[in-house]
Amino acid sequence: MSAGKIAVDMLVSALRSSTPMAFALCGEILGERAGIVNIGIEGEMLVGAATAFAVTVVTGSPWLGLLAGAGAGLVLSCVHGVLCLFCRTNQIASGVAVLAIGAGCSAYYGTPYVGRQINGFSPISIPGLPAALAEVLRSISPTMVIGLVVPPVLAVFLFMTRTGLRWRAVGEAPASARILGINPNTFRWGAILACGFLAGFGGGALSVDYAKGWSEGMTAGRGLVAMGLVVMTRWNPAWTTPVAMIFGAAESLSLSIQSHGVGVSPYLLSLFPYLAPLVILALHAKFSRRQGHMPASLADILKFSA
Amino acid sequence: MKAAPYARRVWPLAAGAASFIAITALLFGHSTPSLAGFFAMLVKGAFGDGYAFSETLVKATPTLWCALAVAVPAQLGLISIGAEGQMYAGAIGGGGLVLLLPHQSSWVLLPLMLACGAAGGAAWASVAGSLKARFGINETVVSMLQNFIAINLLEYLIHGPWMAPNSGNWPQTAEFPSAAVLPPIVSGLRTHVGLFGAVAAAGVLWFIAGKTRWGLSVKVLMSNPKVAGQAGLNHAAYIVGAMAIGGGLAGLGGIMEASAVQNRLESGFLQGYGISGYLVSWLAGHDFRWIVPMSLVMGAILTTADTLQLSAGLPASSAMILQGVLFACILGWTSYARSRR
C-alpha cells in the first residue's frame, strides 16, 4: 500500500466520522448567528437518528429515513422555539429540557429497533473512471457529499444574500434590527427550525449511513462537541468541514488503533475524541483574540466576560 | 388589577404542573386501563409504603448532591452541567482509596474515602473552572464534555486495572469492605446517612450564601463585576472556587452512592443523576432552601419511573421523558409569567 493511498484512506475515514457532526455544527452556527444557543442539538440529533433508522427499517429507503430524521429534529426544535421565543426562557435551560426530552423519547420509541439491520446507501459509482478513483469513490457515501456541499452553500447564504445579512443583524443587534423593521423573532424561529432540521439530518446520517444501526444515546456527545467547536469556526459555516474533522480525525484514529490490535484499552482510546476538541479549544483560546467574531447578542446568554 | 404577589408566583407553577400531568397522561396513560388508576399507581410507587418512600429518598440523595453542585456555580452565573462527571470523578477518587487500603478500620477508611471523593470531584470541576477563568471557554460545554471523559475513564478502570478478580470478567470493582460502607438510616432499607449530609450541606450553603462575606462577595461579583474588581475581589479565583466546591459536593454524592447503595463501582451506576440535579437546581431557582424539597419530588419521579417499568412494562427511558417534560412545563410557564409582568 502506497503512502498516498493510506493518506487518502485516513482522510476519507476522518471525513466519514465527522459528517454527522458537521450537520449539527452547521445548524448550531445558523442558530447562534441569529442569537440562539441550542444545547438541545444533542437531543435533536438523537431523535433524528432514531426516527431516520426506524423509517429506513420500515420503508427500506435510506433517503426517506434521512428526511424523516430531519423532520423529527425540526419537530423537537419547536419545543426550544416555544420556550425561548414565546416564554422567554433562558436558552441554556430550555436546551437542556430539549436534550432530556430528545434523549428520553429516542430511547423510549427506538427500543424496538435496537439490533435491526439495514443496507444503507448503495455506493456511488460512475462508469468509466480510473480504478484508483473509483475505489475512493466507493468509500464515499451520499451523506458525506451532502455534508461537503451544505456548509459552503450556507456560507454564501449568510454572507452574500440580503436574508443572510438580516439573519446576522438579528444575532448582532436585535434592537437595531427591530428599528429597521426586521422582526427578530421571525428570523430566530427560522434559525431554531433550521438548526433542528440540520441536527436531525445529522443524526439520521449517523444511524442510517455511518453506524447502520440504532442504539440508545448513540450520538455520544456529538452535538455537545459541535456546540463547543462553533467557536473554532468563528461562526462561519465555510469552516465547518475542517473543524468537524477535529472530532472526526480523533474518532477514526482511535478506531483504527483499536482495529490494529494495539494493547491499549478501547475505553482509554475512546477518550480521545473528547480530549482532542477540549485541548484544541484551549489552545485556540490561548492563541487567538478572545471570542472573535462572536455574534454580540450571545454574550448575554453565554456570559463570556470572565 | 394586579394579582397578589404569592398568586403571581403560584399560578405559573400550578399551570406547569397541570400541563405536566396532561402531557404525561397523553404519553403514558394508554398503558393502564384508567387514568385515575395510572396516577394512583404513580403516587403509590413513590410514597405508597415504607419501602417505596425509602427508595424515593435513595434516589433523592444523589439528586440533591448534584443539584447543590449546579447551584453553587450558579450563584456566580456559571452554568455547569457536569455534575454527573464530577460524581464519577468523586467515586473514582474515593473508590480508589478503598481499593488501596481495604483493611483499615472504618474510623480511618470512611473519612479518608469521603475526603478523596470530594477531592476527586473538586479537581475534576476545577478543570472547567480554570478553562473558564483563564481562557473564557464556555463552562457549560467543557463540563458536559468532561462527563463523557469521566464515564469512559470509569469504564476503563472497571474493565481493566480495577476489575474484581473473581467477577468472571463482569465490569465492576471488588465489593467495598464493610468498614467502607456508609450505614443505612433504618436497617434493612437502602436510605443512607448521606441524605443527612446532603441536607446539612444545603443548610450550610444557604448560610454561607446569605450571611457571610463570601456570600456577599459572590453577590457583588454576580451583579456588578466592575465594582467587585475595584473592591479587590478576584473574579477568576471565585470562578475556580465555585466550580471546585460544586464538584466536591458532587464527588461526595458519587462516592456515597458507590459506598452505601452499590457497595462497589460499576458501569454507569450514576447515570442520569447529573441531569436530574440540574433540573432540580433550576426549578428551585438555585435557592438552597428550595432545592431540598425539589430533590424529593425528583426522587419520587425517578422511583415512579421504576414502578412504571415494573408494573406497566414501560422502558426505563420514560424517567428521562418525565423529567424533560416536567422541566419544560414549569420553565415555560414561570418564564412566561415573568415576561408578562
Side-chain angles (χ1 to χ4, degrees), chain B residues 20-325:
Chain B
F20 170 64
I21 289 173
I23 296 175
T24 311
L26 212 64
L27 283 175
F28 303 113
H30 59 84
S31 57
T32 47
S34 82
L35 273 180
F38 176 73
F39 285 108
M41 183 178 78
L42 294 189
V43 173
K44 218 175 130 217
F47 300 106
D49 53 25
Y51 177 76
F53 188 55
S54 158
E55 284 303 293
T56 295
L57 291 178
V58 167
K59 297 227 161 29
T61 307
T63 308
L64 179 49
W65 284 113
C66 272
L68 296 177
V70 176
V72 171
Q75 308 298 316
L76 263 181
L78 300 170
I79 304 177
S80 158
I81 319 188
E84 194 159 317
Q86 294 154 12
M87 282 188 121
Y88 280 118
I92 289 171
L97 180 101
V98 172
L99 296 175
L100 199 67
L101 309 167
H103 303 301
Q104 300 291 329
S105 77
S106 70
W107 292 107
V108 181
L109 207 47
L110 276 183
L112 269 181
M113 174 186 84
L114 294 179
C116 285
W124 196 253
S126 57
V127 172
S130 316
L131 286 176
K132 168 76 175 182
R134 179 90 175 71
F135 300 126
I137 302 179
N138 182 255
E139 75 286 355
T140 313
V141 170
V142 174
S143 61
M144 280 195 103
L145 286 183
Q146 278 189 290
N147 287 346
F148 289 94
I149 297 178
I151 289 166
N152 277 311
L153 206 58
L154 177 73
E155 290 291 329
Y156 160 67
L157 290 170
I158 59 179
H159 279 90
W162 289 5
M163 188 191 272
N166 54 358
S167 69
N169 259 346
W170 187 253
Q172 60 184 21
T173 65
E175 199 172 337
F176 283 13
S178 56
V181 173
L182 283 180
I185 295 175
V186 180
S187 72
L189 294 177
R190 298 203 299 166
T191 321
H192 55 90
V193 292
L195 177 64
F196 295 143
V199 174
V204 170
L205 287 168
W206 171 78
F207 180 79
I208 292 177
K211 313 277 176 198
T212 66
R213 270 180 83 125
W214 293 336
L216 184 64
S217 307
V218 165
K219 277 200 196 85
V220 176
L221 276 167
M222 172 83 164
S223 54
N224 195 336
K226 270 195 188 136
V227 168
Q230 277 162 0
L233 293 173
N234 184 344
H235 201 169
Y238 271 86
I239 288 176
V240 180
M243 286 299 289
I245 292 172
L249 295 166
L252 274 178
I255 186 59
M256 285 175 171
E257 179 80 2
S259 152
V261 179
Q262 312 292 334
N263 302 137
R264 55 162 57 89
L265 304 184
E266 55 189 27
S267 187
F269 72 107
L270 295 166
Q271 199 189 359
Y273 282 123
I275 217 140
S276 307
Y278 178 84
L279 304 193
V280 163
S281 180
W282 264 89
L283 293 177
H286 308 307
D287 182 326
F288 295 113
R289 290 166 300 177
W290 283 98
I291 283 177
V292 177
M294 277 309 304
S295 303
L296 190 68
V297 172
M298 190 55 79
I301 289 181
L302 294 174
T303 314
T304 284
D306 281 359
T307 317
L308 282 179
Q309 203 178 345
L310 289 175
S311 52
L314 297 180
S317 45
S318 50
M320 193 61 121
I321 304 182
L322 284 175
Q323 290 179 53
V325 169

Side-chain angles (χ1 to χ4, degrees), chain A residues 87 108 267 290-291 303-304, chain B residues 132 134 136 159 314 331 335:
Chain A
C87 302
Y108 187 87
Y267 300 98
R290 238 181 218 193
Q291 318 306 342
K303 296 203 183 68
F304 267 114
Chain B
K132 168 76 175 182
R134 179 90 175 71
H159 279 90
L314 297 180
L331 203 61
S335 322

Side-chain angles (χ1 to χ4, degrees), chain A:
Chain A
M1 232 178 0
S2 71
K5 172 138 177 32
I6 295 175
V8 169
D9 274 359
M10 282 177 68
L11 203 67
V12 168
S13 75
L15 186 67
R16 190 179 301 121
S17 283
S18 67
T19 296
M21 210 187 82
F23 290 108
L25 196 51
C26 283
E28 189 70 26
I29 293 172
L30 276 186
E32 296 198 1
R33 273 287 178 185
I36 296 289
V37 176
N38 186 1
I39 210 166
I41 44 173
E42 180 79 13
E44 288 161 8
M45 279 186 94
L46 277 169
V47 163
T51 312
F53 188 72
V55 169
T56 307
V57 166
V58 172
T59 65
S61 159
W63 289 108
L64 265 182
L66 276 181
L67 210 61
L74 185 111
V75 169
L76 184 59
S77 71
C78 291
V79 175
H80 195 54
V82 169
L83 285 177
C84 290
L85 299 179
F86 184 69
C87 302
R88 306 201 165 272
T89 309
N90 175 296
Q91 293 186 4
I92 304 253
S94 162
V96 172
V98 171
L99 172 60
I101 294 173
C105 286
S106 62
Y108 187 87
Y109 295 105
T111 312
Y113 299 96
V114 174
R116 295 289 291 271
Q117 305 263 320
I118 56 165
N119 293 322
F121 292 98
S122 45
I124 307 168
S125 62
I126 299 168
L129 279 182
L133 211 58
E135 182 76 17
V136 172
L137 206 60
R138 203 167 305 138
S139 60
I140 291 178
S141 68
T143 61
M144 287 159 74
V145 178
I146 301 173
L148 285 175
V149 171
V150 166
V153 169
L154 289 179
V156 168
F157 164 72
L158 270 182
F159 295 106
M160 293 181 183
T161 66
R162 275 173 76 94
T163 321
L165 179 65
R166 290 176 174 173
W167 192 290
R168 286 182 291 134
V170 164
E172 293 289 348
S176 315
R178 195 184 285 279
I179 291 167
L180 292 174
I182 303 167
N183 182 357
N185 273 5
T186 313
F187 283 86
R188 289 184 165 171
W189 263 111
I192 288 173
L193 296 178
C195 180
F197 186 86
L198 283 167
F201 194 91
L206 181 70
S207 65
V208 169
D209 196 19
Y210 179 65
K212 294 193 178 58
W214 158 254
S215 60
E216 200 178 317
M218 73 178 296
T219 53
R222 278 179 170 76
L224 302 169
V225 175
M227 223 194 116
L229 290 180
V230 170
V231 182
M232 303 270 311
T233 66
R234 302 184 169 217
W235 291 270
N236 182 350
W239 284 97
T240 299
T241 307
V243 167
M245 291 272 262
I246 296 172
F247 179 87
E251 191 185 55
S252 71
L253 198 66
S254 77
L255 288 177
S256 76
I257 292 175
Q258 262 172 62
S259 67
H260 281 81
V262 178
V264 183
S265 160
Y267 300 98
L268 277 189
L269 285 173
S270 59
L271 296 180
F272 196 49
Y274 305 106
L275 281 176
L278 267 187
V279 170
I280 288 178
L281 270 179
L283 291 177
H284 176 262
K286 189 171 163 58
F287 293 111
S288 75
R289 209 152 52 83
R290 238 181 218 193
Q291 318 306 342
H293 304 80
M294 184 175 75
S297 67
L298 292 185
D300 297 338
I301 304 154
L302 296 177
K303 296 203 183 68
F304 267 114
S305 59

